[in-house]
Amino acid sequence: MKYQIIPVTPFQQNCSLIWCEKSGKAAVIDPGGNHERIMDALAQHGLQLQYILLTHGHIDHVGAAKALATECDVQIIGPHIDDKFWLENLPRQSQNFGFPACEAFEADRYLEDGEEITLGEQALQVFHCPGHTPGHVIFFDREENLAWVGDVLFRGSIGRTDFPGSNYQQLIDSIRYKLWPLGEQVNFIPGHGPMSSFGEERRNNPFVADQLLAD
């Protein structure tokens, strides 16, 4: 799977353009804003957008999803249905966080734990990882040992759990029992900030390092 990270919104959210090199079919993960910038990247690589994938319903991850889906005539897939209330609450989110006005929308398809999404000859596995939000999902490319984890995990940190529907223990459990079993060799693209690996975070993350969470 090829990818390009496209920072969007004042929050510098890591939107990702991903594609199957053989077929030229592409998806966009978490288009939080700046949809013209995303369209330019699609054109630059000569790609055909197949769908939009959302990890969770916060505005900096979904703010441009509807505009992009309408312009490209593609479906919005994800997150898990437990984040539906965040998508319904987008007008208030835009006011609260100082974003351009954003209308509520509904995903064309919500995702469940264990699903697989195909993109050309490539595949992404879906894992439901609640905690930051109740319907958060992550996407995993097993062939490349690469994961898109949204706001579950960051280099040296973890997602906030002070939002409506957040749950700190669920977040820790999602990291320990959904992410770590994928392997220390897995590199991940977080929703914000630089990439890291699960092994690096298990050794050094001050929130979820193994020595802190030993039973």
Side-chain angles (χ1 to χ4, degrees):
M1 191 84 73
K2 297 292 184 179
Y3 69 90
Q4 177 183 342
I5 298 173
I6 307 170
V8 296
T9 84
F11 291 177
Q12 290 293 286
Q13 193 275 122
N14 289 331
C15 169
S16 289
L17 171 63
I18 66 172
W19 67 93
C20 168
E21 194 169 25
K22 290 184 179 179
S23 67
K25 293 182 178 180
V28 174
I29 299 175
D30 287 357
N34 306 104
H35 94 277
E36 299 89 351
R37 190 179 301 170
I38 300 167
M39 291 296 298
D40 287 346
L42 281 163
Q44 177 185 349
H45 294 288
L47 301 172
Q48 179 185 1
L49 189 64
Q50 295 293 292
Y51 34 70
I52 294 163
L53 302 175
L54 303 180
T55 62
H56 64 293
H58 285 166
I59 191 167
D60 56 322
H61 292 255
V62 309
K66 188 62 176 178
L68 193 62
T70 299
E71 183 167 349
C72 297
D73 191 26
V74 297
Q75 289 191 333
I76 299 171
I77 300 176
H80 185 279
I81 197 169
D82 285 352
D83 262 21
K84 180 180 178 181
F85 78 98
W86 278 115
L87 301 180
E88 294 171 342
N89 198 40
L90 280 169
R92 179 167 291 182
Q93 286 195 64
S94 63
Q95 293 176 355
N96 290 345
F97 292 103
F99 276 63
C102 185
E103 294 183 3
F105 66 85
E106 185 155 349
D108 295 290
R109 172 183 155 203
Y110 291 101
L111 291 168
E112 295 287 344
D113 188 73
E115 287 195 57
E116 184 173 275
I117 296 169
T118 58
L119 185 63
E121 298 183 20
Q122 306 292 113
L124 293 173
Q125 291 179 276
V126 177
F127 293 88
H128 182 208
C129 293
H132 178 65
T133 66
H136 202 301
V137 298
I138 69 106
F139 303 103
F140 178 50
D141 180 349
R142 190 172 296 276
E143 185 175 321
E144 299 292 337
N145 277 318
L146 181 63
W148 287 263
V149 302
D151 286 355
V152 173
L153 180 69
F154 304 105
R155 182 175 181 178
S157 188
I158 59 174
R160 289 172 57 178
T161 54
D162 57 345
F163 296 110
S166 297
N167 185 292
Y168 174 79
Q169 191 57 53
Q170 281 188 336
L171 181 67
I172 298 301
D173 288 347
S174 290
I175 293 168
R176 292 184 73 186
Y177 303 122
K178 294 291 184 70
L179 300 191
W180 289 171
L182 298 178
E184 293 193 12
Q185 75 284 357
V186 173
N187 295 311
F188 69 91
I189 297 173
H192 307 267
M195 293 178 63
S196 184
S197 71
F198 291 164
E200 174 68 21
E201 300 313 305
R202 292 188 72 167
R203 289 186 292 272
N204 297 310
N205 191 303
F207 297 91
V208 287
D210 285 352
Q211 63 266 30
L212 301 175
L213 300 179
D215 294 324

